[in-house]
Structure formats: structure tokens, C-alpha cells
Amino acid sequence: MMIFLRYESFREYLKQFPVTAALIAVNILVFIIDLLSGHTLLDKGLFYSHPEYNPYGMSEPWRYITAVFLHQGFEHLFFNMIAILIFAPPLERMLGHVRYGVFFIASGMAGFLLSGIVEPITGGVGASGGIYGLYGAYFYLAIMKKALDPASRKTVYMILIIGLIMSVLIPGIGFWGHIGGLFAGFLFAYGYDWYLMKKR
């Protein structure tokens, strides 16, 4: 059975995946508030890196977190929330609520960090780094553990190929943020797997 197909009712989804539901709700709420405020939150919370004023974003480190919950427009928000809605639940079930929440935010932060390192003058917002962290974890499970069913593996490979091609071809998409999240998700999955094996 493909793990990304969702059969839960709305109430069951909220009960089984509270962190995923909370991430979606907070992103939507922040977007609405930002829209009503004339993008005040976007101005104050976006991630940016400048070698003189804010090298690697380290002078204002809160931006690594706030930027994860900000989006440039409805289309940006919509596609990111759909990705979280579909792809996040299996990982929340695997990791547990708290670990999954930390994993998602850390992957998003890693995406911004790599962006700042590769492109010293850059900026960005969005949950894409966290989402690519999910893909990185599934990629690890697919190629290293053979833990996904064939249909789910094909879905992961297809999403990664299409996503990375679009990241290169479409202007304005944070390619390095996606790569950073993907790499972080893969490493986190490897580290957690190593931890579980050491406990046995």
C-alpha cells in the first residue's frame, strides 16, 4: 500500500498527525495576518544573508525560524501546504510528534543556512526546506533501507526529479534552500536510524 495515500477523516487526521496539522494551520494563519498587515511580517521575518550586515543570517538568527512560516503569495503557500498535507504524516508517525516537529524546522533552517553559504547575498521564505527534508528522509529510506513500497519509492524519485528540475528552471525558486533541506533530511534520517540500531 502506498504510504502517501490519505484515507483518514478530518478529525482522524488532526488526532493522528497533530504537529503536521499545526504546521499547516500556523502557516495559513501567518499568511493571512501578513496579508492583512501589508506584508509587515514578511519584511520583518524573511531570511536574508549579507556579508556585511547579516553574514549567513547569523546576526539575526531568529530569521531561520520565522522564514519557514512565511510565504510570498497564495500559490507559494498552497503548493507547500499540499506537500505537507500529503507527505508529512508518514514521517510524523515514524518519528513521533516531537522529533518530527524538530526535524521539520531543522530541515527548513538547514535550507536557509546553505543558501546563505552558497549565495552570500540572498533572501528567502517558505516551508520548502522542511518539505525537502521530508523528501530527503524518504530518499534515505528508499535507497538505504529499502523500507518503502515500490509505488512510494517511485513517487519519491519522481517528486525529487521534478522538484529539482523546476528549482533550476523557474526563476525565484530557492534551489540551494531545497538542496540544503534535502541533504539535512537525508542526514537526520541516517542519524536517527544509526541511533535506533545502537539501542538494539
Side-chain angles (χ1 to χ4, degrees):
M1 180 184 295
M2 186 175 177
I3 64 171
F4 302 125
L5 295 178
R6 306 264 51 88
Y7 300 100
E8 306 89 2
S9 67
F10 179 70
R11 181 175 296 180
E12 290 172 337
Y13 190 98
L14 293 179
K15 184 177 181 180
Q16 294 179 36
F17 314 113
V19 177
T20 295
L23 285 171
I24 294 172
V26 170
N27 272 279
I28 293 173
L29 180 61
V30 168
F31 180 77
I32 293 172
I33 295 173
D34 183 51
L35 199 63
L36 294 175
S37 68
H39 298 302
T40 301
L41 297 182
L42 194 66
D43 293 337
K44 293 182 178 179
L46 64 82
F47 172 82
Y48 84 93
S49 174
H50 190 287
E52 182 178 353
Y53 304 109
N54 195 29
Y56 311 124
M58 294 301 180
S59 298
E60 298 176 340
W62 67 84
R63 293 179 181 272
Y64 279 96
I65 297 176
T66 56
V68 173
F69 297 95
L70 292 165
H71 290 82
Q72 291 178 318
F74 177 76
E75 185 177 348
H76 188 202
L77 174 75
F78 177 77
F79 285 110
N80 275 354
M81 294 307 100
I82 290 296
I84 293 174
L85 181 76
I86 295 172
F87 293 106
L91 205 65
E92 181 168 357
R93 181 180 285 124
M94 292 177 201
L95 295 179
H97 306 309
V98 175
R99 280 190 293 266
Y100 159 73
V102 172
F103 166 88
F104 189 91
I105 300 298
S107 295
M109 294 172 66
F112 291 125
L113 177 61
L114 185 61
S115 294
I117 292 173
V118 176
E119 301 176 304
I121 300 179
T122 189
V125 292
S128 301
I131 293 167
Y132 272 80
L134 302 177
Y135 299 156
Y138 292 131
F139 189 56
Y140 173 81
L141 292 173
I143 67 170
M144 303 299 291
K145 302 295 290 183
K146 310 295 183 184
L148 301 183
D149 60 89
S152 297
R153 284 201 302 273
K154 289 179 182 178
T155 299
V156 170
Y157 299 151
M158 181 182 67
I159 288 291
L160 282 175
I161 292 170
I162 294 174
L164 292 176
I165 290 174
M166 290 178 63
S167 299
V168 172
L169 296 181
I170 299 178
I173 292 183
F175 174 76
W176 292 111
H178 292 178
I179 294 297
L182 180 69
F183 188 63
F186 189 93
L187 286 182
F188 291 154
Y190 169 78
Y192 185 60
D193 186 40
W194 178 85
Y195 167 74
L196 292 178
M197 289 190 295
K198 291 290 286 186
K199 284 183 65 177
R200 294 172 184 165

